[in-house]
Amino acid sequence: SNGEGSASDPLCPAAESLAHELDDRCQIIWSGEHPWVALNPGICGSRSLRLLASDGRLTDELVDTVPLLGVGSHNHAYLLPSAVYTNISERRWKALDRWKIRPGERWIFGIQETNHWMAVKIDWKDRLIQLYDPMERTLSRRGKRILERVKKWTEHLRGADGPWVLGSFHGPQQHADDVQNCGFYVAWVLRAWIQGHPAGEDTLEDLLGFRQEVFRLLRDAPRAPALPMVDNSDSESSAS
């Protein structure tokens, strides 16, 4: 419900407290070195935690990091950063050529359009591309457009060597009056895909419990030194 993202949500002050701790220690949260899980490590700073504290929503940093935290060494999919889709939609293929296909891989990533989170899974072996939209049980016009764009990218990487099957992934659905928790639904499905869980419509029974689990994952995650913030006055005064 909407109340799960309200200012009274206990997740909000907890996230603000963790943001202060990161700033005091000059640290960022990161997903660690997991080459068997991520094709790009997830990194999350205090700014994303403060946004989470202010309105209860997940940023791109959080969606790219949370699914990777606390997973085991046996994965069923590789997570790409959500920024991948921006390059896909603008057909900037060269910016994506760093990722190379290996046999049997499944690639997954989050997508944010008009403040709404969705997720894509590419199964290279079965030539299947699926879109998960926590607000739609069937493919909308937007969903079909996203899948067609992703298909064009896969054809750029692999060549048009056969047909692709495009479809909707039937995962857990938001309530009709819930306009805040799409990021949590997507993070949960991405995490389930990595771990090989079915992630069907009835598999996320306790959204509030998962929101609390997200905070525990962030609190206990590996950390790395953060680059210090430097404003213009600092840089001018120290120029000599």
Side-chain angles (χ1 to χ4, degrees):
S1 67
N2 285 332
E4 288 169 332
S6 67
S8 61
D9 182 354
L11 179 64
C12 294
E16 181 68 33
S17 176
L18 182 56
H20 278 300
E21 180 181 325
L22 292 177
D23 284 342
D24 288 344
R25 299 181 181 182
C26 294
Q27 293 177 329
I28 56 172
I29 293 168
W30 75 307
S31 58
E33 295 181 356
H34 297 316
W36 56 85
V37 175
L39 298 184
N40 200 72
I43 296 174
C44 174
S46 60
R47 180 177 177 274
S48 288
L49 288 167
R50 287 198 168 89
L51 289 173
L52 173 61
S54 66
D55 64 10
R57 304 189 193 199
L58 294 186
T59 65
D60 54 347
E61 282 189 344
L62 288 163
V63 170
D64 291 343
T65 303
V66 167
L68 300 170
L69 299 178
V71 299
S73 59
H74 299 289
N75 71 300
H76 295 259
Y78 291 86
L79 183 69
L80 277 67
S82 54
V84 160
Y85 182 69
T86 301
N87 290 311
I88 290 174
S89 63
E90 297 176 4
R91 298 177 67 90
R92 295 202 300 259
W93 307 135
K94 288 185 179 180
L96 302 171
D97 283 346
R98 60 179 292 190
W99 290 291
K100 305 299 181 183
I101 308 163
R102 288 174 288 185
E105 283 187 347
R106 295 181 182 92
W107 290 4
I108 61 176
F109 51 91
I111 292 175
Q112 188 180 48
E113 273 200 351
T114 59
N115 293 321
H116 179 56
W117 279 104
M118 297 162 281
V120 161
K121 177 167 64 172
I122 304 172
D123 190 320
W124 293 99
K125 180 180 179 181
D126 295 336
R127 301 187 65 84
L128 173 65
I129 307 174
Q130 290 179 299
L131 176 75
Y132 166 60
D133 185 340
M135 293 292 288
E136 301 284 350
R137 282 187 167 84
T138 59
L139 282 178
S140 63
R141 181 179 299 179
R142 172 170 64 179
K144 292 176 181 177
R145 169 175 50 81
I146 290 172
L147 287 177
E148 284 294 334
R149 288 177 173 177
V150 175
K151 180 171 75 75
K152 290 184 182 297
W153 178 46
T154 64
E155 291 172 346
H156 164 77
L157 289 173
R158 187 167 175 169
D161 58 349
W164 283 89
V165 177
L166 310 181
S168 176
F169 181 84
H170 301 291
Q173 295 291 294
Q174 290 175 257
H175 295 292
D177 62 346
D178 180 0
V179 296
Q180 292 180 306
N181 287 300
C182 55
F184 285 90
Y185 281 91
V186 165
W188 192 89
V189 167
L190 290 171
R191 187 173 179 81
W193 282 347
I194 289 172
Q195 296 176 327
H197 298 162
E201 287 193 38
D202 300 325
T203 51
L204 179 53
E205 298 178 356
D206 184 6
L207 176 61
L208 180 58
F210 179 63
R211 287 169 58 84
Q212 294 169 337
E213 175 65 14
V214 164
F215 174 73
R216 288 192 292 270
L217 290 168
L218 291 167
R219 182 192 60 200
D220 299 337
R223 299 186 186 181
L227 293 175
M229 298 294 292
V230 179
D231 60 28
N232 291 335
S233 60
D234 288 341
S235 59
E236 291 172 359
S237 63
S238 61
S240 60

